[in-house]
Amino acid sequence: MTTLLVTHPAGLDHLTPSGHPERPDRLRAIDQALEDERFQSLARELAPTTTDETIALCHPPDYIAEIRAASPASGLVRLDADTAMSPGTLEAVLRAIGGATMAADEVMAGRVENAFCAMRPPGHHAETARPMGFCFFNTAAIVARHVQKRHGVERVAIVDFDVHHGNGTQEIFWSDPTVMYCSTHEMPLYPGSGAPSERGAHNNIVNAPLRAGDGGDKFRIAFETVILPRAGAFRPDFLVISAGFDAHMRDPLANLNLVEADFAWATRKLMEIADASASGRIVSVLEGGYDLQGLARSAAAHVTALMHG
Ligand SMILES: [Zn+2]
């Protein structure tokens, strides 16, 4: 079976202030790594745009209108301390969502087994009606609701190995027993949420925080003792991965010490869960990862795992 790679050059047109870590070069680095011969068998698609109706699966219309209205004709407009819009941001955001839901459609139709969406901006900090942490709309959350509402999928698990806690995804699904959100992340660290005691209204939130300095051994223990047993027992019909690579040892924004092989290992373990209850169906969306070399190599290891198990 085939793995789908979704990209779009519009992802390069979301500009951020000078020196900002969430920059267009992130996608250039991933694109370059995935041009290698060993990725020849990937199916490749350009991300289409999306509709407000799809965004509204997770965000209220007045919030969508607020983000659209904030889009500047020139220059940069800041929505919070570290989240800014440039003239190209809205198009990038819409294609990040459109690409991810298209990938889900392809997976649901059985045309590909799984997919990786190399788009930006990321999404997992975006709450129901609040942009934050480089994020505007929550792409992973929208994919989960999309496969439920448009494809009749019952249970979706979202597993997030970005080094930051996905506060937005947790907030959106806090009271939704049909979606399980599982996260490993460094704590304490931005955004401050993600304690194990945060379990959701239906015990559907699973947080396994790590400490600064932890490496692949501690990460794998958290996966094997907490994340994988809970996600597996949930028997998801579809799996979404919030694939941030900022837990890499080279990353400048955090202090975990993962290497490429750890991301590949986690990916293979998640594929086992998807194989067991979801016919292998996975859509993985890029979240963070701010060291270009660590990001590119980790994304390549992740995609290699998706391709070959
Ligand atoms: Zn992050």
Side-chain angles (χ1 to χ4, degrees):
M1 269 290 257
T2 309
T3 293
L4 172 64
L5 172 67
V6 180
T7 61
H8 196 284
L12 302 174
D13 296 334
H14 164 45
L15 306 180
T16 48
S18 174
H20 196 289
E22 209 290 276
R23 59 205 191 278
D25 280 349
R26 298 179 62 232
L27 291 187
R28 292 190 183 98
I30 292 174
D31 284 349
Q32 193 176 12
L34 298 181
E35 275 169 19
D36 190 274
E37 195 176 349
R38 66 186 203 274
F39 297 106
Q40 245 175 10
S41 66
L42 283 172
R44 294 170 188 257
E45 295 278 356
L46 288 174
T49 190
T50 193
T51 61
D52 283 7
E53 190 189 354
T54 293
I55 303 172
L57 291 168
C58 291
H59 302 282
D62 54 347
Y63 174 65
I64 299 170
E66 190 183 307
I67 295 294
R68 282 189 175 279
S71 179
S74 64
L76 292 170
V77 56
R78 282 180 191 272
L79 303 192
D80 86 349
D82 47 28
T83 312
M85 294 184 85
S86 72
T89 298
L90 188 61
E91 182 74 9
V93 166
L94 298 178
R95 289 191 188 274
I97 296 165
T101 57
M102 179 270 283
D105 294 339
E106 293 294 292
V107 169
M108 289 307 303
R111 285 190 286 269
V112 298
E113 179 163 29
N114 53 39
F116 177 62
C117 305
M119 297 291 293
R120 58 184 281 278
H124 73 154
H125 295 305
E127 297 186 346
T128 302
R130 181 186 182 198
M132 62 182 276
F134 319 161
C135 305
F136 303 89
F137 299 123
N138 196 313
T139 307
I142 291 169
V143 171
R145 287 256 164 86
H146 172 81
V147 295
Q148 289 183 318
K149 298 285 194 277
R150 309 247 164 92
H151 294 284
V153 163
E154 286 183 26
R155 288 180 310 283
V156 182
I158 303 174
V159 178
D160 182 338
F161 53 65
D162 188 280
V163 80
H164 303 96
H165 181 242
N167 59 291
T169 316
Q170 171 169 299
E171 184 259 349
I172 288 167
F173 296 112
W174 184 264
S175 303
D176 184 345
T178 68
V179 176
M180 173 171 276
Y181 174 67
C182 303
S183 177
T184 54
H185 45 274
E186 180 180 335
M187 210 176 170
L189 189 71
Y190 182 90
S193 52
S197 58
E198 296 165 29
R199 297 173 190 278
H202 305 277
N203 204 25
N204 59 312
I205 307 286
V206 181
N207 286 307
L210 301 166
R211 290 175 178 275
D214 283 353
D217 52 346
K218 295 277 173 50
F219 170 75
R220 292 183 192 214
I221 289 169
F223 246 66
E224 286 194 314
T225 62
V226 183
I227 303 292
L228 297 170
R230 290 295 308 279
F234 186 65
R235 307 240 354 125
D237 303 301
F238 194 95
L239 189 63
V240 179
I241 302 178
S242 267
F245 300 103
D246 40 9
H248 192 278
M249 63 186 302
R250 293 178 55 96
D251 199 275
L253 294 198
N255 313 285
L256 296 188
N257 290 308
L258 271 57
V259 296
E260 294 86 315
D262 296 312
F263 294 111
W265 175 86
T267 306
R268 289 192 298 268
K269 289 292 179 185
L270 294 174
M271 291 169 75
E272 288 174 13
I273 287 177
D275 285 343
S277 64
S279 306
R281 294 188 287 256
I282 296 177
V283 167
S284 173
V285 297
L286 177 66
E287 300 282 1
Y290 304 101
D291 174 79
L292 296 182
Q293 185 180 317
L295 170 65
R297 290 182 180 175
S298 299
H302 176 59
V303 172
T304 301
L306 288 174
M307 293 168 74
H308 304 295

